[in-house]
Amino acid sequence: MDWKKLLNGARRKDIHGTEDQKIGTATANGRIEIERDYDRILFATPTRRLADKTQVFPLDINDSVRTRLTHSHEVANLARGIGVRLSFELKEEIFGGNVNDIVVEREVPALLAAIGLVHDLGNPPFGHQGEVAIQNWFKENKKMVFGDSPEDYIQDFLRFDGNSQTFRLVTKLQILNDDFGLNLTYATLASMLKYPHSSISKSDAKIWKKHGFFLSEKSIVDDVWDKVGLKEGVRHPMTYIMEACDDIAYSVLDAEDIVKKGLASFYDLVNFLESKVTEVKDNDNDKVKIISELINNIKTKNEEFKKAKLSPAELNDMSMQMFRVYAIASLVNSVVNTFKSRINEFISLDCKHKDLVSISDGGLLCKSLKEFDYSWGYKHKSVLKLELEGHNYINSLMDMLWVGIHGRLKNEHKSNTPFGKYAYQKISENYRRVFENPENKMQIIYREAQLLTDAISGMTDSYLITLHDELRALYHNVDS
């Protein structure tokens, strides 16, 4: 791989000159193109909507518990921090001598911050349960929606994924007066592809079970890969860093939120980690050493806080804050060291690593924290109840919106009824414009299904419930 191509600052819509002029060149306002990507993402409407999208706990009234927006900012912050270390402290080791005509000290932190902020932008309401709800609706209504369409053609919906929706969102759906979306740089588009294959790819299914783009965006992805020197099944090296930051953020910070909500205590977490240490036979193992050092550090801080005569709640809270500090520091250092020591593997077109964290010394700690989060948080009855409610809301709303979508382009079916017309108008105008665009060459069946997924995934948790209740009050009069 060539770092100059990997950090390609050109845009698909060529506005400011040729590609060569854009790479590593500051614009009139002093910023380089990749730095502008972060701002474009930050000020985009879907980013603000993340404030009302579930991270772990749906519709939580505790405003200190994380949403998708706070999670995304935390991932972006971790990624930018690692980018600074790579481009300043480890510049020669990571980038070698092939950096004379690019500005890695500015481009790499900016790139990592941008893809950290954008990584969850396409996730539907109610977290990953929202993805499952969309998938289930299409499976249950497969014959009605797709008829006898080839199986490959409908996998985008039967296996709907928020990662692919994110790429679609920034390249197609955030339109002004053209079809380039946010018009992000090639470097950002390439590195935000967490899973570099489509829903029908067979070659990489054993490595990544999810997909990173839909058939409707395949031509864009092909163009991106060509411009940065990548191909199907090969990740951009910075994608591994961003994914590691996502793993660190949700494994550590979800644990903090679980304790904050009172579903577990600081001592429950310590006991859980200690049990993981005893399960591993080789206590000299570096992965075990990281957990042991973390336990010792947070226990020491906990004893210090006890001397301050804090209330039980304050003691729990302060101890978890220090747990967060020490755990993130350990995992970040582990990731940086592994990326540095194995850089030749990560910049190879033959790289087939599934992820970065699992092969680092922090792999066992991260895995253990995810197990704690699952056992104490994700499986808690209060979370399961809200996820079930969210699943039901999504399925019911998809039924109603389908009335307004199906047959719209052919001016037939129930889409032309008063309810169908009203339901259709409740869908974002941007999304409808893409759907109706005569230049859209996808089959009508595919376009209808995609408008439905665009509409649902673009909603916040609260708005989805509000729209559901509004349409439900009118839906009973529709002849079914």
Side-chain angles (χ1 to χ4, degrees), residues 9 53 76 87 120 144 154 178 183 190 209 227 229 239 247 284 323 348 364 413 425 433 461:
K53 284 194 174 184
S87 53
D120 271 350
M144 176 191 74
I154 62 180
D178 56 50
N183 195 28
K209 294 181 180 180
K227 294 297 191 299
T239 309
D247 285 340
D284 292 328
F323 157 77
S348 168
L364 182 60
H413 196 62
Q425 289 300 316
R433 188 181 294 116
D461 295 11

Side-chain angles (χ1 to χ4, degrees), residues 133-145:
I134 292 172
Q135 293 166 5
N136 287 347
W137 189 89
F138 281 110
K139 289 172 184 175
E140 292 170 4
N141 296 281
K142 179 179 173 181
K143 190 68 176 179
M144 176 191 74
V145 176

